[in-house]
Amino acid sequence: MRTIAVPFSFSGGALRTTSNPHVIARQEITDVLTTDNYERVMVPMYGANTSSLLFTQVDNLVEADFKEEALHMLNTNLSNCTVVTMSITNRPPDGSWSGPGHAEATLYVNVSYRLAGEVGIETLSVGVLHPLDLTSFSI
């Protein structure tokens, strides 16, 4: 399987692609988690709607509901892996409060996944930043 690599860049006049299954899985997981409902033309219910967690009090019931819907959305739309577990925290997985040079995220969605045909489990953490904090964020 070959796909366009993110971030987009050109190499020798062609769009850079990747065939690394871990890179493809991480790109697909990030895409589903960062897409809200009604953002995709012709597929209005695509996406995990993660940003909705920013505007509600996250308790056990909200977290369980989000996990159930997000896990279904992920495992329905991923091509080469299966999401095994998911957690929502207010701290990054390395235990620090913010990464070097980056604004502190409001919450983190941590995903453990397994590639098709492999035994090991990989993890990915997606930080979600509140829109009002974007003024302090520099790229």
Side-chain angles (χ1 to χ4, degrees), residues 75-107:
N75 287 325
T76 301
N77 291 290
L78 299 179
S79 62
N80 68 337
C81 69
T82 302
V83 174
V84 180
T85 61
M86 176 185 295
S87 67
I88 303 168
T89 63
N90 63 353
R91 294 181 62 103
D94 65 0
S96 67
W97 278 104
S98 63
H102 297 288
E104 182 178 316
T106 305
L107 61 92

Side-chain angles (χ1 to χ4, degrees), residues 27-97:
Q27 287 180 180
E28 288 179 347
I29 291 169
T30 302
D31 181 53
V32 171
L33 289 177
T34 59
T35 302
D36 288 335
N37 297 142
Y38 303 104
E39 282 187 353
R40 287 279 176 103
V41 176
M42 304 298 287
V43 191
M45 298 313 293
Y46 177 85
N49 213 28
T50 305
S51 68
S52 68
L53 295 175
L54 295 173
F55 306 104
T56 186
Q57 181 66 34
V58 179
D59 58 13
N60 291 340
L61 185 59
V62 169
E63 184 175 348
D65 190 37
F66 171 77
K67 282 183 187 179
E68 180 182 352
E69 291 177 12
L71 284 171
H72 173 72
M73 183 60 61
L74 284 163
N75 287 325
T76 301
N77 291 290
L78 299 179
S79 62
N80 68 337
C81 69
T82 302
V83 174
V84 180
T85 61
M86 176 185 295
S87 67
I88 303 168
T89 63
N90 63 353
R91 294 181 62 103
D94 65 0
S96 67
W97 278 104

